[in-house]
Amino acid sequence: MQTPIQPLPPLRTHLLNPQPHLPLLLLLRRPSPLRRSPPPPRYLRARCYGVGGGGGGVEPQKRKKAGAVSAVAAAAAAAYPFGEIEPRWQRFWEEHRTFRTPDEVDTSKPKCYILDMFPYPSGAGLHVGHPLGYTATDILSRYKRMKGFNVLHPMGWDAFGLPAEQYAIETGTHPKITTKRNIERFRSQLKSLGFSYDWDREISTTEPDYYKWTQWIFLQLLKTGLAYQAEVPVNWCPALGTVLANEEVINGVSERGGFPVIRKPMRQWMLKITAYADRLLEDLDDLDWPESIKEMQRNWIGRSEGAEIEFHIVDFQGQERGLHLSVFTTRPDTIFGATYLVVAPEHFLLSSLITEDHREIVEEYVELAARKSELERTDLQKEKTGVFSGSYAKNPATGEKIPIWIADYVLGSYGTGAIMAVPAHDSRDYEFALKYNIPIVWVVKPSDEICDLNEPYVDDGIIVNSSSSVSGLNITGLSCKDGASKVIQWLESTNNGKKKVNYKLRDWLFARQRYWGEPFPVIYLDDTDEIVPLLESELPLTLPELDDFTPTGTGEPPLAKAISWVKTVDRLSGKPARRETSTMPQWAGSCWYYLRFMDPQNPTTLVDKAKERYWGPVDIYVGGAEHSVLHLLYARFWHKVLYDIGIVSTKEPFKCLINQGLILGEVEYTAFKDQEGRWISADSASSSEYYQEKVPAEKVTKDGDYFVLKDNPNIRLNARAYKMSKSRGNVINPDDVVSEYGADSLRLYEMFMGPLRDSKTWSTGGIEGVHRFLARTWRLIVGPPLPDGSYRDGTIASNDEPTMEQLRTLHKCIAKCKPQV
Ligand code: ANZ
């Protein structure tokens, strides 16, 4: 039975400070002093946690669900009534909206916007990896509030996406229902962990009030010419009658059913992210982000400076055929060494290049190449293959006739889809030239000294062998850099080419043939197919209700089944029209959510200008490294577009980025046995005749650097931690941990596991240790349980001045805790 609980008396600093964790722990349980008073008086009296008692307010059989509740954990729980303390404070925070950031804040105070990457509310609920970053940002947020900052620390849901739709296909449950259910579960899980989010700012990308502004941004992209349509290949599965997302295709077959998937061109919405490539690259320099993530973004954008060079096509006699082939090169300085050209098998000029006597063999080759992935084709280890086209080109620098080959190590999707091959200075070309007996001409050497080169020399050096009276070009003796500039000048003055910058980054395919996404705010006029954007006043264009989410079988998205929704009229002309049936990709909603958190209910604008100026940019953004490229690049792109049209005041959305490490499952031990079932030590178990057996942790002990069998220390074991996965059965559910040990134990344990950015292995033993530490802290403040198992009223803390002895102990402790610099 519960009796009223007294307020926690103000804690004396001499009790708060003995250990650095201690004040934090205690303060975590108290609302910020900047905000509200402590909870109403209630009698601080724990239930009986002794034999037969419900530890932490959770029934023993319920706690059992978490796995084997160890005797140690049960005993520790008996001394720390987290099941009473935690929900009480969580209720208090909820009732008093303790962590609400008011709509209007005192803007003379400094601000700190601390953001977690908002989760996709999956059916599986929270994972122990989620609270890792969330706890770190929670600690920071509470700290900053106490330091007098206005803190924005919101949470929401990135809730459009495939799983809810697949579930709808399988069960007929509307994705709206599944999403709502999953969000409720996630929310209650997060609340049970005691995070200090401002729940008044909660948003979901699936709410029409939210996606109205996602659609509005799309309209701005359309207006500025950054959204356009193009024919692009999609993954089409004829057997399933549907277009599949990349992640649904595994080794060329559908993940579901294993049916063949082909690439089929379809008209798709594209976003011109390439127009922002340079700015996306340059502005990385000023960001306080992990260098590895910046490098990944740089590589993804893949900027290459060089030249585009025109080669005239000639016949065997050297006669011009009135055609020319454009190549992209990053080494125009090596033009005198270009002894052949290569075009990709999918090059648009291929059929005009191949001569009749080579047609059959080329066609065969092209067909073979079409079956290979780009990765296979560009693998440096793979033997290079190719076929001669029968045509030649004139090297504009030497005036010489060089052969044109077709080879799949050149990709149709990069540069111009054709290269000038310089075997003396490029390893792939070298290997190819050796194989097909093509001349190799060295035009760069490492230094002035005479040296014989008999392998490709790919570095910079001094240019040799590079002058011609035919073209009048002479770069011999120059450095590669100067040579390249001179060649570019010459190309431009003789109309043979120009300076060119290329990017690996492609425009963003911005459409999915799916139901559960944002509808596009455009219509097509039936008579002319003209695209007409909706008026801003017509937003949001809401998703129509649909009962049948199965694919149409024609490649049309499921929305095509909403016939009365699709059929519409153009407001201005009154002409019959139809709506777009594909939807936006899941990335769309997460591209700008951090802005909406600043002003989540604004009905008239995406974000109020003054609020954006105060809160922007996000000061600290924490999330998994799996988003290091796409989400962060897309969000940066949209932010820059919004900057250009005056919606936001900063060039970048996220000032500081921190990637939390992965939490791996508990270490697993394996031992070897021979055919007779005898143990074999791991260091001598090289034979494949031995088989492996999993060994439970309680049978393992550590001996020096090795893990060995407890009852036979001569047998060494293998120890390894794996990524948590359902199939491995090593997933830890945070709910179980919270009910067994309390939220504080989970949070504190995750913070003590190791540096936030590192990968770490889960250890149930570790959490028990942390839990015991908390229990000790509890006993220090409240005192040990009374003989009947209950606790004293109030705490053993007092307002008395500390004695000299206490102060001495305190300061000795502070000295010990002082960080070692
Ligand atoms: C001549 C040359 C000489 C090259 C030399 C390299 C070294 P990045 O840095 O990745 O941009 N290339 C161009 N287009 C290609 C395509 N579609 N598929 C495969 N390779 C392609 O690389 C640019 C270089 O990759 C270009 O410069 C071209 O080879 C090749 F000593 O041209 B180079």
Side-chain angles (χ1 to χ4, degrees):
M1 194 187 80
Q2 291 217 342
T3 38
I5 293 182
Q6 278 181 345
L8 295 171
L11 291 153
R12 299 291 307 220
T13 37
H14 67 278
L15 271 171
L16 278 173
N17 274 340
Q19 297 228 18
H21 344 290
L22 202 55
L24 182 64
L25 286 167
L26 296 169
L27 291 169
L28 285 178
R29 305 273 50 87
R30 311 170 70 80
S32 155
L34 300 169
R35 298 178 174 279
R36 289 167 196 281
S37 52
R42 292 173 75 205
Y43 202 64
L44 201 157
R45 185 189 143 91
R47 277 168 245 151
C48 173
Y49 293 99
V51 183
V58 181
E59 299 304 318
Q61 60 270 38
K62 217 170 177 188
R63 292 202 279 128
K64 191 77 193 160
K65 210 176 84 202
V69 181
S70 70
V72 183
Y80 174 48
F82 59 84
E84 190 279 326
I85 304 169
E86 290 177 357
R88 178 162 59 89
W89 280 99
Q90 286 159 19
R91 255 192 326 273
F92 175 83
W93 294 333
E94 177 126 5
E95 279 163 19
H96 294 82
R97 296 152 85 199
T98 308
F99 303 110
R100 195 173 90 85
T101 307
D103 228 19
E104 303 300 332
V105 289
D106 171 4
T107 53
S108 64
K109 283 199 337 192
K111 66 99 186 179
C112 197
Y113 185 177
I114 302 173
L115 183 65
D116 292 302
M117 286 185 187
F118 68 162
Y120 172 75
S122 70
L126 276 192
H127 178 272
V128 282
H130 287 116
L132 181 66
Y134 300 166
T135 306
T137 53
D138 189 59
I139 291 171
L140 259 178
S141 302
R142 288 169 188 262
Y143 173 73
K144 287 285 185 187
R145 286 186 196 109
M146 289 175 181
K147 293 284 276 185
F149 283 72
N150 286 322
V151 171
L152 189 61
H153 187 44
M155 182 42 83
W157 320 107
D158 184 16
F160 274 130
L162 268 184
E165 183 156 346
Q166 252 151 6
Y167 190 70
I169 294 170
E170 283 155 25
T171 64
T173 318
H174 197 288
K176 207 159 62 183
I177 296 169
T178 320
T179 303
K180 184 167 177 282
R181 198 164 56 208
N182 293 349
I183 288 179
E184 273 160 15
R185 168 122 193 261
F186 263 66
R187 190 191 301 111
S188 84
Q189 285 184 301
L190 289 178
K191 286 191 175 174
S192 81
L193 284 163
F195 295 131
S196 64
Y197 293 120
D198 175 358
W199 286 105
D200 285 2
R201 288 175 189 258
E202 179 182 342
I203 53 179
S204 169
T205 52
T206 52
E207 286 302 319
D209 283 352
Y210 179 86
Y211 68 68
K212 165 180 176 172
W213 298 104
T214 313
Q215 292 172 333
W216 183 87
I217 296 173
F218 179 81
L219 289 182
Q220 312 314 307
L221 291 162
L222 197 59
K223 236 186 248 172
T224 46
L226 292 166
Y228 65 96
Q229 288 196 322
E231 288 267 325
V232 277
V234 292
N235 302 311
W236 167 245
C237 178
L240 293 175
T242 184
V243 171
L244 298 175
N246 282 343
E247 57 270 28
E248 295 173 290
V249 184
I250 296 175
N251 295 330
V253 296
S254 61
E255 186 189 21
R256 202 156 41 95
F259 301 110
V261 175
I262 54 169
R263 305 280 280 165
K264 171 175 155 175
M266 260 192 186
R267 240 184 137 55
Q268 304 273 321
W269 281 105
M270 305 288 293
L271 296 187
K272 211 182 271 176
I273 188 171
T274 49
Y276 281 70
D278 272 333
R279 285 165 64 188
L280 287 168
L281 204 59
E282 280 156 22
D283 293 346
L284 278 175
D285 293 344
D286 300 330
L287 294 177
D288 179 10
W289 285 21
E291 205 37 57
S292 58
I293 303 284
K294 290 197 205 178
E295 205 44 34
M296 278 162 90
Q297 294 227 341
R298 287 188 192 109
N299 290 338
W300 192 265
I301 297 167
R303 184 180 197 275
S304 288
E305 254 182 52
E308 224 166 71
I309 306 180
E310 306 295 337
F311 283 76
H312 291 266
I313 314 286
V314 294
D315 61 18
F316 184 67
Q317 275 78 33
Q319 292 301 312
E320 297 240 354
R321 288 183 40 203
L323 273 176
H324 58 88
L325 197 61
S326 182
V327 305
F328 171 67
T329 177
T330 44
R331 296 290 307 273
D333 52 309
T334 61
I335 190 164
F336 283 89
T339 53
Y340 65 101
L341 298 187
V342 184
V343 295
E346 52 278 359
H347 196 277
F348 72 103
L349 273 182
L350 193 74
S351 61
S352 355
L353 288 176
I354 37 183
T355 55
E356 267 326 299
D357 44 338
H358 289 84
R359 191 164 297 276
E360 202 179 320
I361 186 159
V362 171
E363 278 170 1
E364 242 171 62
Y365 182 78
V366 170
E367 211 183 301
L368 274 178
R371 292 196 214 140
K372 293 191 200 167
S373 70
E374 287 200 352
L375 217 63
E376 267 177 87
R377 285 172 50 172
T378 47
D379 186 346
L380 290 178
Q381 309 308 321
K382 285 259 164 76
E383 192 186 330
K384 306 278 161 296
T385 60
V387 284
F388 177 46
S389 68
S391 289
Y392 297 84
K394 196 170 89 178
N395 183 331
T398 61
E400 279 167 21
K401 186 182 84 172
I402 57 174
I404 303 176
W405 285 70
I406 294 124
D408 63 11
Y409 74 93
V410 171
L411 302 176
S413 55
Y414 185 62
T416 62
I419 65 161
M420 66 174 203
V422 183
H425 303 290
D426 180 282
S427 319
R428 296 163 304 173
D429 300 347
Y430 182 77
E431 193 191 324
F432 193 87
L434 275 191
K435 182 171 173 187
Y436 294 106
N437 228 349
I438 302 171
I440 301 172
V441 176
W442 274 270
V443 291
V444 180
K445 60 174 193 168
S447 66
D448 265 342
E449 290 147 38
I450 299 162
C451 57
D452 269 343
L453 290 166
N454 51 10
E455 56 181 29
Y457 176 71
V458 298
D459 293 330
D460 276 1
I462 308 284
I463 296 175
V464 292
N465 261 341
S466 295
S467 71
S468 160
S469 51
V470 180
S471 62
L473 180 63
N474 178 5
I475 52 169
T476 296
L478 296 183
S479 67
C480 288
K481 191 165 171 254
D482 292 345
S485 315
K486 193 162 175 193
V487 171
I488 291 173
Q489 271 172 22
W490 173 81
L491 287 170
E492 287 178 348
S493 65
T494 55
N495 256 341
N496 278 313
K498 57 176 194 266
K499 188 179 163 116
K500 175 84 186 171
V501 176
N502 246 322
Y503 300 91
K504 297 245 157 46
L505 183 69
R506 299 273 144 258
D507 276 347
W508 176 10
L509 198 165
F510 192 71
R512 292 154 73 246
Q513 280 64 39
R514 295 287 171 185
Y515 168 74
W516 195 229
E518 299 87 348
F520 282 94
V522 294
I523 55 171
Y524 302 91
L525 298 186
D526 279 350
D527 54 355
T528 57
D529 263 0
E530 187 194 335
I531 300 168
V532 181
L534 293 190
L535 301 171
E536 280 181 32
S537 58
E538 291 175 287
L539 302 184
L541 169 63
T542 50
L543 264 176
E545 290 296 327
L546 212 62
D547 298 324
D548 175 11
F549 308 93
T550 51
T552 55
T554 61
E556 281 252 42
L559 265 180
K561 294 183 180 177
I563 293 164
S564 58
W565 180 83
V566 174
K567 217 168 134 43
T568 183
V569 282
D570 175 23
R571 282 267 175 95
L572 289 178
S573 63
K575 284 184 182 176
R578 60 188 193 285
R579 296 194 193 281
E580 168 68 66
T581 52
S582 57
T583 52
M584 297 187 201
Q586 199 189 349
W587 306 109
S590 58
C591 267
W592 71 280
Y593 73 108
Y594 57 94
L595 293 173
R596 193 63 179 167
F597 277 141
M598 298 173 187
D599 192 14
Q601 270 101 38
N602 197 325
T604 53
T605 172
L606 182 155
V607 57
D608 173 77
K609 276 205 160 50
K611 287 182 181 155
E612 185 280 328
R613 265 199 307 276
Y614 179 69
W615 286 115
V618 172
D619 294 280
I620 296 169
Y621 194 27
V622 178
E626 65 275 19
H627 296 301
S628 45
V629 178
L630 296 182
H631 159 61
L632 290 170
L633 202 63
Y634 292 155
R636 292 181 62 223
F637 164 46
W638 277 33
H639 192 88
K640 287 180 186 303
V641 175
L642 293 174
Y643 175 79
D644 289 348
I645 60 172
I647 302 294
V648 297
S649 58
T650 63
K651 287 186 181 169
E652 285 287 332
F654 314 117
K655 202 154 80 182
C656 168
L657 173 78
I658 298 171
N659 289 126
Q660 80 224 30
L662 210 63
I663 297 189
L664 302 170
E666 190 115 23
V667 174
E668 294 177 23
Y669 304 95
T670 45
F672 292 88
K673 273 186 171 173
D674 65 11
Q675 298 299 336
E676 276 80 49
R678 285 181 300 236
W679 294 114
I680 305 290
S681 190
D683 48 330
S684 48
S686 51
S687 162
S688 56
E689 283 168 25
Y690 304 132
Y691 62 92
Q692 287 195 38
E693 196 173 292
K694 231 173 136 172
V695 181
E698 57 272 19
K699 293 198 169 165
V700 178
T701 186
K702 196 137 190 242
D703 180 15
D705 286 344
Y706 301 100
F707 290 97
V708 295
L709 281 180
K710 234 181 215 165
D711 50 12
N712 188 352
N714 293 327
I715 303 297
R716 283 187 195 165
L717 310 175
N718 283 338
R720 204 184 138 183
Y722 297 85
K723 198 172 165 195
M724 286 191 194
S725 72
K726 250 194 209 159
S727 57
R728 249 208 119 73
N730 61 351
V731 177
I732 302 283
N733 182 339
D735 288 355
D736 294 342
V737 181
V738 169
S739 65
E740 193 171 341
Y741 299 101
D744 271 336
S745 297
L746 173 64
R747 297 165 50 126
L748 199 60
Y749 170 63
E750 292 208 351
M751 291 299 95
F752 279 152
M753 281 178 93
L756 183 62
R757 296 176 174 92
D758 291 4
S759 283
K760 309 162 264 260
T761 43
W762 182 268
S763 152
T764 300
I767 200 157
E768 283 168 359
V770 165
H771 187 75
R772 281 197 301 274
F773 165 75
L774 280 178
R776 221 173 298 131
T777 311
W778 171 256
R779 287 195 300 270
L780 183 71
I781 306 298
V782 178
L786 300 172
D788 67 353
S790 69
Y791 284 89
R792 75 193 63 244
D793 299 346
T795 71
I796 57 172
S798 80
N799 282 337
D800 300 343
E801 281 302 317
T803 64
M804 276 313 273
E805 195 45 44
Q806 282 168 332
L807 276 176
R808 212 168 277 128
T809 311
L810 167 68
H811 287 287
K812 269 189 198 160
C813 183
I814 292 172
K816 274 192 198 162
C817 298
K818 215 170 59 191
Q820 308 292 315
V821 196

